[in-house]
Amino acid sequence: MNDKVIKGIKEYAIAFNETNDLDPLLQEINNKKSVLLGESSHGTSELYKIRTELSKRLITEKECTFLAVEGDWPACQIVNHYIKGFDKVHSNAREVLKSFNRWPTWMWANEEMIDFIEWLKEYNQLQSQNKQVGFYGIDVYSLWESMDEIIKYLEKIHSLNVETAKQAFACFEPFNRQPEKYGVSAAFYHPSDRIPLPQGM
């Protein structure tokens, strides 16, 4: 490691030993509308604990109510229902996190997340509905599961757009729910190959 890097680390690094060590970061965040949390690794307990503590403080001190995470939308929606009290199926966070069944399951289904999910549920119970925190997955790996959920929802509410949605999703059928085939195809995509969306989309 060269001297310039070492000097930079010494100058800007903030030691983290307790929750109060996050104070400078919270001051820097101030009243920002959006806060993006990066990470240096997937799956280390220390990182999950720090992220949890920072998230709690963003919620309690900065009134953050929308947690968008790198997780599958359908599984995260089950977590969201649980922490908001809509889930009548699962009795605890450990059961809820079994919804993350695509590798790497441990990225979200881990001990640190169990504690955080239970904390979110308890926090939400004390809030009015518009102040409750939501937990939303924005990852795109669960492509087919997400499309299934959309169709299920549209059918549940008797939407007139069920067939339109099915037509829009039909372009994925040749890939037989195999994301690697879709990925290879997308790599060779050219704008001239664009399939027109059904009328009304």
Side-chain angles (χ1 to χ4, degrees), residues 9-197:
I9 291 171
K10 286 180 177 177
E11 190 173 346
Y12 296 107
I14 300 171
F16 182 82
N17 297 303
E18 56 185 34
T19 309
N20 289 343
D21 290 333
L22 292 170
D23 288 352
L25 190 54
L26 270 291
Q27 289 164 12
E28 190 70 28
I29 289 168
N30 196 11
N31 293 317
K32 300 288 188 298
K33 191 172 181 181
S34 300
V35 178
L36 307 179
L37 305 182
E39 59 184 11
S40 57
S41 70
H42 278 334
T44 56
S45 178
E46 295 81 4
L47 177 72
Y48 281 64
K49 286 174 180 173
I50 293 171
R51 185 178 63 191
T52 293
E53 291 308 316
L54 179 55
S55 298
K56 286 179 182 178
R57 291 193 62 182
L58 287 169
I59 291 165
T60 57
E61 297 174 33
K62 304 294 183 182
E63 299 184 350
C64 171
T65 58
F66 192 101
L67 299 178
V69 303
E70 186 189 359
D72 291 340
W73 170 56
C76 288
Q77 188 64 355
I78 294 171
V79 173
N80 189 50
H81 283 175
Y82 177 75
I83 65 175
K84 290 185 173 180
F86 301 137
D87 184 350
K88 306 302 178 193
V89 177
H90 304 95
S91 59
N92 57 60
R94 186 178 296 277
E95 287 182 14
V96 171
L97 291 175
K98 288 178 182 174
S99 305
F100 291 91
N101 53 20
R102 182 185 58 77
W103 186 89
T105 55
W106 46 261
M107 188 169 158
W108 295 109
N110 56 64
E111 295 298 325
E112 291 77 17
M113 281 304 297
I114 288 171
D115 294 340
F116 184 43
I117 297 303
E118 294 294 6
W119 182 90
L120 287 169
K121 183 176 184 181
E122 289 174 19
Y123 176 86
N124 278 345
Q125 287 172 343
L126 303 174
Q127 310 303 315
S128 59
Q129 193 168 1
N130 65 326
K131 296 276 189 181
Q132 289 186 347
V133 178
F135 189 91
Y136 306 98
I138 57 172
D139 218 332
V140 294
Y141 288 110
S142 60
L143 178 63
W144 281 273
E145 294 89 342
S146 297
M147 289 190 289
D148 290 343
E149 289 298 317
I150 290 169
I151 298 298
K152 271 195 251 178
Y153 174 75
L154 292 174
E155 289 175 340
K156 180 181 174 182
I157 64 168
H158 306 292
S159 171
L160 299 175
N161 293 316
V162 175
E163 288 308 313
T164 305
K166 286 180 178 178
Q167 287 176 35
F169 296 158
C171 63
F172 294 101
E173 287 178 7
F175 307 107
N176 290 325
R177 293 182 172 256
Q178 296 178 45
E180 63 279 3
K181 284 188 176 180
Y182 172 66
V184 169
S185 174
F188 295 104
Y189 170 79
H190 188 273
S192 63
D193 300 330
R194 187 174 182 273
I195 300 170
L197 286 173

